[in-house]
Amino acid sequence: MSQLWDSLFSEAAGAIKPSPIREMLHLIRQPGMISFAGGMPDPAIFPVSEFYEATAILRDSGRDVLQYGTTEGYGPLKDFLSAWTAPRMGRRLKEEELLITSGSTQVVDLLNWAIVDKGDVIIVEEPSFMGSTLNMHNHGADFETISCDAEGMEVHLLPEKIEALQKAGRKVKYIYCITNFHNPLGCTLTVERRKALLDVAYRYGIPILEDDPYGYVRFDGDHLPTLFSLDEKGMVIYACSFSKILAPGTRLGWCAGPAELIRKMAIFKQGVDVCSCVVSQALVYEYCRQGHLEAFLPKIIAHYTKKRDAMEEAFKRHLPLDEVHWVKPEGGFFYWLETPKIDVDELFRKAIDQKVAIVPGHTFFVGQGGHHNCRLCYTFASPEEIDEGARRLGSAMRELL
Ligand SMILES: Cc1ncc(COP(=O)(O)O)c(C=O)c1O
């Protein structure tokens, strides 16, 4: 039988790659394992009772909510988002500029359906969020990569690379940028670089996908203007999600962009999943309508600030400080460690033996790199586990030095 399936698999299936983090889940779920691996929120603060209260919408509007919904999204939730996101978007979004999606992962997929053909080039930060780059790969995209430093994408490197690609006759379809509290790097693109990135987009006619699931989770400093709000020419598609600010089990995200693009993405969505789960959209809407989202955000921020601080302190206490470097993140979910003298695969194995899970840095590279880096998520583990996990990681590192 396996011969039969081998002969049937599509070209895309032949090239498909599993997500190493999803594949790692069975390791991470071993008893006693302290996980810094998945980018998961802390279930201890999920607003379970408020969400349960929101189920009243099923009693009151069940006949709508249990029906197929419109592909573009549940109207009341779209209206809520249009008003609620206005401060970050710089204005209220029009109905036709907003699409509710099944997680923001689906934004990347729909955008790729809409504008990417096999062999087109997408410019990504290196390293970048693998969930997105895997999807781009599935669409047959090729990659150009741009390195990052503590101030985010090194935007000044873009023109030379774009010109070389254009000279070679390649079509560059978009630039993918995680502007705030980057996954995996934890860094944030400065305002100067945001403006410079928009200049590049205008100069070369290349749109930007601004992926911003962590933007609301800022611990220190002031919020920076989104690329979307700075953009004057409709070159930015903005993606966000309820996964990190409410609960990933809702599987709801959204995107904002030019109406003609949103329309094409919605038509593709008709054939992908008809519409995002209406029950989920209605529950999230009711939860938001009752003011719970607004009240929950400061709680998330306070809760995760403590965990970020616990990880910072635990690193200082337990890691071999001369051999490990990091930048303290101002928000989001992740630390990115650099261990110039330690091979991260060896560190990963030793860490798993000691029951602490990290993600090797090379997982986030579409090219080479990341062999002396790892990503650690601080939101999932408790402060006590963070301390113990850092102690175990420090001892694994010392064994390898
Ligand atoms: C940068 C980035 N984009 C998108 C996502 C996907 O989020 P969602 O759960 O909404 O699909 C994640 C999740 O980890 C992420 O880190």
Side-chain angles (χ1 to χ4, degrees), residues 103-105 129 132 176 178 183 211 213-214 241 243-244 251-252:
S104 61
T105 298
F129 171 53
S132 297
Y176 174 67
I178 306 165
N183 180 5
D211 191 12
Y214 304 101
S241 171
S243 288
K244 315 293 172 175
R251 298 312 301 129
L252 289 179

Side-chain angles (χ1 to χ4, degrees), residues 123 155-160 162 175 193-208 235:
I123 300 182
V155 175
H156 68 279
L157 301 174
L158 279 167
E160 199 183 319
I162 293 171
I175 301 168
R193 288 198 188 175
R194 286 173 198 233
K195 291 181 180 159
L197 181 55
L198 282 169
D199 283 344
V200 170
Y202 299 159
R203 185 159 10 128
Y204 297 99
I206 300 173
I208 303 164
M235 297 290 284

Side-chain angles (χ1 to χ4, degrees), residues 88 179-180 188-191 194 218 222-226 229:
R88 281 180 85 73
T179 37
N180 296 304
T188 291
L189 193 70
T190 59
V191 178
R194 286 173 198 233
R218 177 176 272 281
D222 295 327
H223 286 288
L224 303 185
T226 57
S229 69

Side-chain angles (χ1 to χ4, degrees), residues 299-347:
K299 283 191 205 158
I300 296 181
I301 291 167
H303 191 69
Y304 293 157
T305 303
K306 278 195 205 130
K307 292 191 176 209
R308 188 273 316 259
D309 292 346
M311 191 164 261
E312 180 77 20
E313 289 312 308
F315 283 170
K316 287 185 186 155
R317 206 172 301 129
H318 299 299
L319 301 190
L321 294 181
D322 290 341
E323 312 297 347
V324 190
H325 314 294
W326 68 85
V327 177
K328 185 178 177 182
E330 293 186 339
F333 278 37
F334 306 111
Y335 267 93
W336 178 252
L337 297 185
E338 202 178 323
T339 54
K341 293 192 188 149
I342 299 173
D343 177 276
V344 76
D345 288 323
E346 288 180 33
L347 179 63

